[in-house]
Amino acid sequence: MIKAILVFNNHGKPRLSKFYHYFAEDMQQQIIKETFQLVSKRDDNVCNFLEGGSLIGGSDYKLIYRHYATLYFVFCVDSSESELGILDLIQVFVETLDKCFENVCELDLIFHVDKVHYILNELVMGGMVLETNMNEILTRIEEQNKLEKQESGISGASSRAVSAVKSMNIPQQLKEMKLPDIPQAIKELKF
Amino acid sequence: MALKKVRGNLERMFDKNLTDLVRGIRNNKDNEGKYIAQCIEEIKQELRQENISVKATAVAKLTYLEMLGYDISWAGFNIIEVMSCSKFTYKRIGYLASSQSFHADTELLMLTTNMIRKDLNSQNQYDAGLALSALSCFISGDLARDLANDIMTLLTSTKPYLRKKAVLMMYKVFLRFPEALKPAFPRLKEKLEDPDQGVQSAAVNVICELARKNPKNYLSLAPIFFKLMTTSTNNWMLIKIIKLFGALTPLEPRLGKKLIEPLTNLIHSTSAMSLLYECINTVIAVLISISSSLPNHNASVQLCVQKLRILIEDSDQNLKYLGLLAMSKILKTHPKTVQSHKDLIMQCLDDKDESIRLRALDLLYGMVSKKTLMEIVKKLMLHMDKAEGTLYRDELLSKIIDICSQNNYQFITNFEWYVSVLVELTRMDGSQHGQLVAHQMLDVAIRVQAIRRFAVNQMAILLENAHILTQPSSKMVDVLYAAAWICGEYATDLANPEITLLAMLGSKVNSLPNHIQSVYVQNILKILNIILKGASQEHAVQLCETICDKLPQFISSGDLEVQERASSAFQLVTLIKEEIVNENLEILNEFDMLFGGELNPVAPKAQRKVQVPEGLDLNAWINDPPSTSSAESEDEHFEDDNIPNIFLKADQEKDKKYEEPSEEDLEKIREARRLQQENNPNYLKPDNNTRKMNETDSLINNVDLLLPHSIPGLVSPDKYLTQKPKKNKVKTKTKKKKRKKSTEK
C-alpha cells in the first residue's frame, strides 16, 4: 500500500500532496517538512530508498523518491510494495505528466495542481496501484478531458475568452508598472 | 436568460480563478498569510452565490489552499453541492476536493450516500470512476455497508475501467465493513481470471493485501496464483504474486519446493530488475522455510548469490542497496556462500552512500573468521577515523564490538590485540558507547588471564590520561570505571602502581561521574595494599599521608556512595598509618586480607552445571533446626528467598535422614567428586586455556570479601557489574551456605 505521495520543490514548497491515510492539515504540513528534510540532504548519487520518517508510518514504511530538476517525487510505501516497482511507477507518473503538459516543468504543477491530481488518480487509487500502462492512462485522461471540453460548449467559449483576457494579466501588469517615485525625484532636484 | 448568463460571465471576470489565486500567492510572498486570508473571505462570498460555476471555482481554490495546510472542512456542504452537480467538469472538482479533505469520520458523509450511489450507477463510466476514486479516500463504515452492493455490481460491469476500480474499491470496503468479504470473495476470485490484464492485476493486488493480514486463509488460492505466475507476462502483477508467495511459503513448505523451479526460470529469463529482485527474495524465503527438510538446494543458493553479486556490482545505487539487503537475508541461513563474496562487501564499505555502507556493515557480522577478523576491524577503524557524523561512527563502533565479541569471542586469536582495539576505541569523541567499551574491557581483563598484565597496564595508561576521556560531549568517560576497577583488582600486575595511584587521586577526579568516583575510592585501597607490601616504613607512611591528603575531595562529594566509601577509606588509611608508625606491621597482613584472593569469572549457568555429588543433600539439615529463634529463622528465610532454585530437588525426599559423614568419608567424597568433575564435560575445569572460565574450590573462602554488596536482596547500584557479579553473588551465597554448614558441624 502507498500511504502518501508528495511532490515538493528544492525548497520544500509542496506542489502536490496526496495522503491515503487521514492526517489533519497541520500534521500533513509537518510530514511534508520532515520528508523534505530527510530527502533534501541526500546527494543525487545515492540510492533512492530511505527508512521512513518518524511522523509517517514506522519501521514497515519506506520513502522511495526520485529527484527531477527542481522537484522531488516522494512515495511513502509499506513492505508490500516492490521498491524498484515504485521507482518505475514514479517514472511512469512523471512521463505521463510530461506527455500531458508537453515538457512538464515546475510551473505546470504550480498552476495545474488539479490536473496533476486527475492524472495521479488514474495511476493510484486509495493507496493501491491502479494502472501502470502509460498508454492506457493517457487514453483515460484524454477521454475525460474531452468530456470537459464538450461540456464547456457555447458557454465555455465566453469563459475561455475570460481566461484568455485574464492570462494577459492586465491588472497584475498594471500593478507591476511601478510609476517612478516622482515626489522623491523632484525633492532631489533641489532648486 | 441569455442576458443573465452574460451578466454572470461578466461578473465572473472580476472573480479570481485558480490560476489567479496561485499567481496572487506568488506575488504576495511577503504577506502570504494575509493575502490568503483575504482570498478565503472572497471564497466564502463566492460560495454564497447561486451560480454553480462560481462555486466550483471557489471549491477548486479551496483544494489548492488545503495543500498549503489550510483547513477547509468548513466548506464541506459546498463541496458536496459541487460533487452532486450533473456536469462532469464540476463533479470532478467536487470529488477532488472531497478526496482531499474528507475522511472516514467526517460527519457530512451521511449526506453523500445516495449521491454517490447515483454516480456509481451513472451511464457515464467516468462519473462512476470519479466517485470510486474519491470514495476510496474517505469511505466510512456506514458508506461501506450501504454501498457494498453497488460496488459489487460494478465488479461485473462490461467496462474494464470500472471493473478495475471496483476491485480495488472492494478492499477498502472490506477494511471498513468486514462482513462484505465473505459474499464478495467468490467474485473477487473470478477477477483473478478476468480477460482484462488491468482487472487481473487489481485483483491480485487486493488479494495480496488481504493475505498480508491473514495468509493462512489464502493458501487455497495458491494453485491459481501458480498458474498466473507461469503464464502472465505482466511484470507488475508477477511481482505482487511472487511477493505473496514469499509470505505463503513459511506456512506451506510443499509450496516452496514447487516454486523453486519456476522462480529459477524467471531469474534466468527476466530482464526486469524489479522482477528479478523479487524472485530472488522469494527464493530466499523458500530456502529459509525448507532449509531444515531439504538441505540440498545449493544450486539455488548459488544462483541467488551470483545474481545478487551482479546487483551489488551494478553502478545503480538502488540495485546495490537492494542487493545488500537481500544478501543479509541469505547470510542467516547460508553464511558460507556469502562469505565468498567478502571482497565485494568490503568494497561497499567505501561507498559514498551511507545507506549502502550501513547495509554492508550488517553483512560484515557474518563475514568474519579467525583469519579475517583483524583485517576487517582494522578497516572499520580506518572508516571510523574518516567518517563524518557521530551516528555512523557510533554504529561502526558498536559493530566492531559486536563482531569481535560474537559467540563468546569465537574469532579472536589474540586478546592483546583486542584490548588495544578497545583502548583505541576510547579515543572516539562524542560516542554514546562508553559503557559498551567498558564492559568489554572488564570482560576481557577478567576472563583472559594470559593478557591480564598487558590489559592492566593499558588501563593504567588510560587512568593517567583520564583528561582525554573526560571531554564534556563524550560518554567515553565510562571507560574509566573499567580501567579503575581492573587496575585495582589486578594491582599486582601494575608496572608502576604508585603512578597509577596518584593518577587516581588527581585533582580533577571529583569532576567524574559519581559511580566512577566510588570505584576509584575502592580501588585506591587495593592498589595501596599492593604498594605497602613492599614499601619501607618511611615510604609507606608518606604514601598514607598523601592519600589522606587527597581523600577529602571524595568525602565532600554530594553522592552518598562516594562519600561513604571515601570516609571508610579515610579512616582505614589513617589507622594503617598510625599502626605503621607504631611499627605494628601486623596491620598490613590484616589489610591484605581485605582484598585477598582472586575473583574468578563464572558463567551464569555454571552453578547449575555442577552436579550435586552423590550423597550430598543440600536441603537436608546438617544439624537439627534451631529451636524457633526468631532472628535466625528469619535469616534463613531471607536467604532462601534470594536463592533461585538452582539445585536439583529430586532426591530431597529420599535423603531425609541425612547422616553426618565422618572426616574420612568427607575426604572420600571429595576425591570422588574430583574424579567425577574431571570426567564431567559440563564441569569447567581449571586449566590453562584461559578462554574458559575456571572455578576452583580454593577461591570460595576468599571471594565473599571482595564483593562489596553481598547483602541479600539489595540490588547493586553499579550498572556495569550487574551481570557478572550477580552470577558471582549467587554462587558465593550458595557456597557461603555450604561453608556455614561445614563450620556448624
Side-chain angles (χ1 to χ4, degrees):
Chain A
M1 289 279 278
I2 300 167
K3 199 170 195 180
I5 295 172
L6 306 173
V7 181
F8 42 75
N9 71 0
N10 288 347
H11 306 289
K13 280 239 184 252
R15 295 304 177 211
L16 173 100
S17 66
K18 182 85 209 171
F19 289 87
Y20 295 103
H21 281 226
Y22 172 66
F23 292 102
E25 274 79 11
D26 46 349
M27 191 61 185
Q28 291 185 4
Q29 294 301 311
Q30 277 184 45
I31 290 173
I32 294 173
K33 219 182 198 170
E34 188 196 55
T35 313
F36 169 69
Q37 274 160 5
L38 283 174
V39 168
S40 62
K41 66 177 177 210
R42 291 170 64 86
D43 288 340
D44 269 351
N45 52 12
V46 303
C47 70
N48 302 62
F49 313 122
L50 208 61
E51 313 291 320
S54 56
L55 294 176
I56 194 164
S59 60
D60 195 37
Y61 284 88
K62 262 203 189 90
L63 297 177
I64 299 175
Y65 72 97
R66 275 185 189 270
H67 189 197
Y68 296 92
T70 59
L71 291 173
Y72 286 97
F73 288 75
V74 188
F75 280 47
C76 175
V77 302
D78 68 13
S79 61
S80 75
E81 301 294 343
S82 142
E83 291 91 345
L84 294 171
I86 293 291
L87 275 181
D88 284 348
L89 186 68
I90 300 179
Q91 185 68 26
V92 170
F93 183 32
V94 174
E95 277 179 32
T96 313
L97 289 176
D98 198 53
K99 283 261 164 58
C100 293
F101 287 109
E102 291 169 18
N103 288 325
V104 69
C105 68
E106 194 183 342
L107 277 176
D108 292 317
L109 272 80
I110 294 173
F111 284 104
H112 303 287
V113 65
D114 48 346
K115 294 204 174 72
V116 180
H117 268 294
Y118 298 148
I119 293 166
L120 184 61
N121 278 348
E122 297 304 322
L123 271 95
V124 180
M125 184 179 132
M128 284 181 289
V129 179
L130 178 67
E131 186 57 69
T132 50
N133 180 336
M134 196 162 70
N135 289 330
E136 167 76 9
I137 297 168
L138 286 171
T139 321
R140 297 301 170 187
I141 293 165
E142 269 161 33
E143 281 183 30
Q144 292 180 65
N145 288 346
K146 219 181 273 168
L147 270 180
E148 282 199 354
K149 259 189 201 144
Q150 278 168 13
E151 280 179 354
S152 53
I154 308 162
S155 67
S158 62
S159 75
R160 271 203 301 279
V162 168
S163 66
V165 170
K166 272 190 181 162
S167 35
M168 283 164 65
N169 203 5
I170 296 167
Q172 230 76 37
Q173 276 166 9
L174 275 178
K175 236 196 259 169
E176 280 163 16
M177 272 169 53
K178 279 186 187 148
L179 295 169
D181 206 347
I182 296 170
Q184 191 67 34
I186 292 170
K187 257 187 233 161
E188 277 171 20
L189 268 175
K190 277 185 188 168
F191 294 102
Chain B
M1 176 67 198
L3 203 74
K4 204 175 169 190
K5 211 164 197 175
V6 170
R7 226 181 69 200
N9 280 337
L10 276 177
E11 273 169 14
R12 270 169 56 197
M13 265 204 74
F14 304 104
D15 290 341
K16 289 193 192 79
N17 63 18
L18 178 58
T19 314
D20 298 329
L21 174 76
V22 176
R23 200 173 279 145
I25 293 174
R26 284 163 67 80
N27 285 338
N28 287 281
K29 281 207 174 93
D30 300 332
N31 52 349
E32 196 182 287
K34 203 174 143 200
Y35 179 78
I36 290 177
Q38 185 193 327
C39 287
I40 290 180
E41 279 313 307
E42 284 169 18
I43 289 169
K44 280 181 180 165
Q45 291 288 329
E46 287 160 21
L47 287 175
R48 268 185 225 122
Q49 292 193 24
E50 292 277 307
N51 191 330
I52 191 71
S53 81
V54 175
K55 273 187 188 162
T57 311
V59 167
K61 288 193 278 186
L62 281 179
T63 311
Y64 182 81
L65 292 178
E66 197 267 353
M67 181 178 77
L68 300 183
Y70 289 86
D71 175 30
I72 62 163
S73 56
W74 52 269
F77 272 114
N78 305 103
I79 291 172
I80 293 176
E81 209 178 332
V82 176
M83 279 159 86
S84 64
C85 179
S86 61
K87 258 192 179 181
F88 179 76
T89 317
Y90 302 148
K91 200 182 270 303
R92 212 178 186 187
I93 294 172
Y95 270 113
L96 176 61
S98 71
S99 75
Q100 291 295 94
S101 77
F102 289 2
H103 53 95
D105 297 326
T106 306
E107 280 178 5
L108 286 173
L109 282 181
M110 59 185 168
L111 300 176
T112 62
T113 319
N114 282 319
M115 179 189 72
I116 293 175
R117 180 174 291 137
K118 207 180 105 209
D119 283 335
L120 288 178
N121 296 318
S122 161
Q123 290 300 308
N124 182 350
Q125 62 168 331
Y126 293 110
D127 283 349
L130 279 184
L132 285 169
S133 281
L135 190 59
S136 71
C137 295
F138 59 68
I139 190 165
S140 65
D142 286 350
L143 280 177
R145 188 194 57 222
D146 295 341
L147 295 172
N149 275 328
D150 300 272
I151 298 165
M152 268 219 306
T153 317
L154 286 180
L155 285 178
T156 51
S157 159
T158 52
K159 288 157 186 141
Y161 181 70
L162 286 185
R163 290 206 300 275
K164 186 169 66 179
K165 285 200 162 191
V167 168
L168 290 186
M169 191 63 225
M170 280 318 285
Y171 177 65
K172 295 282 175 167
V173 173
F174 299 149
L175 283 186
R176 298 285 175 193
F177 181 59
E179 289 88 335
L181 181 57
K182 215 162 190 183
F185 193 70
R187 278 203 200 167
L188 193 60
K189 205 170 130 186
E190 274 170 33
K191 295 300 131 195
L192 285 175
E193 287 163 309
D194 195 279
D196 184 84
Q197 273 214 346
V199 181
Q200 249 186 5
S201 174
V204 169
N205 204 341
V206 168
I207 291 181
C208 287
E209 285 298 332
L210 289 170
R212 253 166 69 84
K213 297 224 159 73
N214 191 355
K216 237 189 303 173
N217 290 357
Y218 299 90
L219 267 178
S220 61
L221 291 179
I224 301 179
F225 280 123
F226 195 81
K227 200 177 122 207
L228 279 178
M229 184 179 76
T230 42
T231 53
S232 172
T233 51
N234 178 347
N235 279 349
W236 190 267
M237 190 165 84
L238 281 175
I239 289 175
K240 282 277 172 188
I241 295 176
I242 288 165
K243 262 184 170 288
L244 175 68
F245 277 136
L248 293 182
T249 41
L251 300 168
E252 181 53 90
R254 281 177 304 175
L255 179 64
K257 281 175 210 163
K258 272 195 106 172
L259 281 172
I260 289 274
E261 200 198 314
L263 285 178
T264 322
N265 290 343
L266 268 177
I267 290 176
H268 279 301
S269 62
T270 186
S271 57
M273 280 299 179
S274 46
L275 183 58
L276 172 73
Y277 175 68
E278 295 305 336
C279 286
I280 295 176
N281 254 335
T282 299
V283 170
I284 295 170
V286 169
L287 290 173
I288 291 171
S289 68
I290 62 174
S291 60
S292 50
S293 58
L294 235 166
N296 254 341
H297 270 298
N298 256 334
S300 314
V301 181
Q302 284 297 344
L303 178 67
C304 286
V305 175
Q306 262 170 33
K307 289 282 175 182
L308 287 179
R309 188 177 170 108
I310 294 171
L311 291 189
I312 298 173
E313 278 172 340
D314 202 287
S315 59
D316 184 341
Q317 296 294 95
N318 292 325
L319 297 182
K320 211 178 256 234
Y321 174 88
L322 294 174
L324 290 169
L325 197 65
M327 203 66 122
S328 64
K329 286 181 199 156
I330 301 190
L331 185 69
K332 282 182 200 125
T333 47
H334 300 85
K336 285 255 163 61
T337 325
V338 183
Q339 263 167 24
S340 55
H341 299 280
K342 199 189 93 203
D343 55 319
L344 189 63
I345 287 151
M346 294 299 275
Q347 263 174 37
C348 289
L349 276 184
D350 292 322
D351 203 283
K352 54 196 177 302
D353 188 345
E354 185 175 305
S355 323
I356 287 180
R357 289 199 306 262
L358 284 172
R359 289 280 151 250
L361 264 184
D362 281 346
L363 277 169
L364 266 188
Y365 188 78
M367 292 281 116
V368 288
S369 64
K370 279 185 181 168
K371 277 184 201 150
T372 54
L373 179 72
M374 285 195 187
E375 176 203 344
I376 288 178
V377 169
K378 189 178 163 200
K379 185 138 194 179
L380 292 180
M381 308 259 292
L382 271 175
H383 272 288
M384 223 165 71
D385 281 343
K386 281 188 287 180
E388 284 168 27
T390 38
L391 190 79
Y392 180 60
R393 289 208 294 179
D394 262 8
E395 187 65 31
L396 273 170
L397 192 152
S398 68
K399 264 293 175 305
I400 291 177
I401 289 180
D402 263 4
I403 289 172
C404 291
S405 63
Q406 66 174 312
N407 270 336
N408 215 356
Y409 307 101
Q410 184 190 359
F411 297 120
I412 295 186
T413 47
N414 182 347
F415 277 93
E416 270 190 31
W417 164 79
Y418 187 45
V419 170
S420 65
V421 166
L422 289 174
V423 171
E424 185 80 25
L425 289 181
T426 62
R427 306 279 293 278
M428 202 183 112
D429 290 340
S431 170
Q432 302 298 306
H433 288 308
Q435 287 207 12
L436 193 63
V437 179
H439 191 271
Q440 288 287 301
M441 285 174 167
L442 283 170
D443 205 30
V444 172
I446 294 171
R447 291 168 67 181
V448 192
Q449 258 174 2
I451 55 103
R452 196 172 283 155
R453 180 177 290 272
F454 175 79
V456 168
N457 286 303
Q458 290 289 309
M459 294 302 118
I461 293 170
L462 279 186
L463 285 180
E464 285 155 31
N465 296 293
H467 57 277
I468 300 175
L469 299 172
T470 48
Q471 310 294 345
S473 63
S474 178
K475 291 247 168 87
M476 269 303 164
V477 68
D478 272 321
V479 165
L480 291 177
Y481 179 99
W485 190 86
I486 293 169
C487 286
E489 184 60 27
Y490 305 114
T492 37
D493 286 329
L494 277 173
N496 200 335
E498 262 195 75
I499 292 180
T500 313
L501 184 67
L502 292 176
M504 289 168 80
L505 287 164
S507 56
K508 286 193 176 158
V509 234
N510 50 6
S511 61
L512 291 174
N514 294 328
H515 66 289
I516 296 177
Q517 288 189 43
S518 332
V519 167
Y520 265 47
V521 174
Q522 187 77 4
N523 288 288
I524 285 168
L525 292 179
K526 294 187 198 165
I527 298 178
L528 175 68
N529 173 39
I530 298 298
I531 303 177
L532 287 185
K533 276 183 186 170
S536 65
Q537 189 192 8
E538 192 186 337
H539 186 199
V541 173
Q542 195 192 346
L543 205 59
C544 289
E545 273 169 358
T546 326
I547 294 176
C548 288
D549 270 358
K550 304 271 180 149
L551 271 180
Q553 62 177 332
F554 291 110
I555 297 177
S556 58
S557 162
D559 186 72
L560 284 179
E561 177 79 15
V562 179
Q563 206 183 89
E564 190 186 6
R565 285 197 194 195
S567 309
S568 313
F570 184 76
Q571 294 307 326
L572 191 60
V573 176
T574 320
L575 175 76
I576 291 168
K577 193 185 77 185
E578 280 168 15
E579 295 296 318
I580 294 175
V581 172
N582 296 340
E583 306 219 337
N584 179 5
L585 294 180
E586 184 54 24
I587 187 76
L588 290 182
N589 289 336
E590 282 167 20
F591 187 40
D592 189 39
M593 267 170 62
L594 283 178
F595 305 110
E598 192 182 354
L599 181 66
N600 269 337
V602 178
K605 290 171 186 162
Q607 185 67 54
R608 227 177 296 169
K609 285 177 181 163
V610 179
Q611 287 179 0
V612 182
E614 231 171 293
L616 174 65
D617 177 6
L618 293 169
N619 293 305
W621 287 101
I622 294 171
N623 294 311
D624 288 334
S627 55
T628 52
S629 147
S630 63
E632 267 184 66
S633 67
E634 203 182 280
D635 187 43
E636 210 36 65
H637 181 69
F638 202 36
E639 278 215 1
D640 274 353
D641 264 1
N642 284 287
I643 298 166
N645 186 13
I646 49 174
F647 299 113
L648 303 168
K649 288 198 168 165
D651 43 8
Q652 196 175 355
E653 293 295 334
K654 80 179 172 213
D655 280 339
K656 256 187 180 157
K657 281 191 180 170
Y658 182 75
E659 286 178 23
E660 279 182 43
S662 69
E663 193 52 47
E664 291 128 53
D665 287 344
L666 272 177
E667 194 51 52
K668 259 186 223 160
I669 290 168
R670 276 191 201 120
E671 187 54 44
R673 184 168 57 177
R674 215 167 294 138
L675 269 174
Q676 199 197 354
Q677 281 171 3
E678 246 157 43
N679 299 327
N680 184 352
N682 291 328
Y683 196 88
L684 295 170
K685 291 147 216 143
D687 62 8
N688 294 331
N689 186 349
T690 48
R691 302 257 310 274
K692 289 191 180 156
M693 300 143 220
N694 26 16
E695 181 191 27
T696 54
D697 284 359
S698 65
L699 64 101
I700 296 164
N701 295 328
N702 306 321
V703 171
D704 38 6
L705 287 174
L706 283 171
L707 290 163
H709 321 287
S710 54
I711 306 157
L714 189 81
V715 180
S716 160
D718 300 340
K719 283 177 247 162
Y720 275 84
L721 295 162
T722 41
Q723 282 176 356
K724 284 238 146 46
K726 222 188 238 164
K727 298 153 205 164
N728 282 336
K729 231 188 271 176
V730 171
K731 183 193 127 197
T732 45
K733 243 183 276 161
T734 54
K735 300 271 167 149
K736 228 171 24 183
K737 197 178 170 195
K738 246 192 263 172
R739 201 154 53 93
K740 209 197 289 172
K741 280 172 189 164
S742 54
T743 46
E744 271 166 11
K745 273 186 305 197

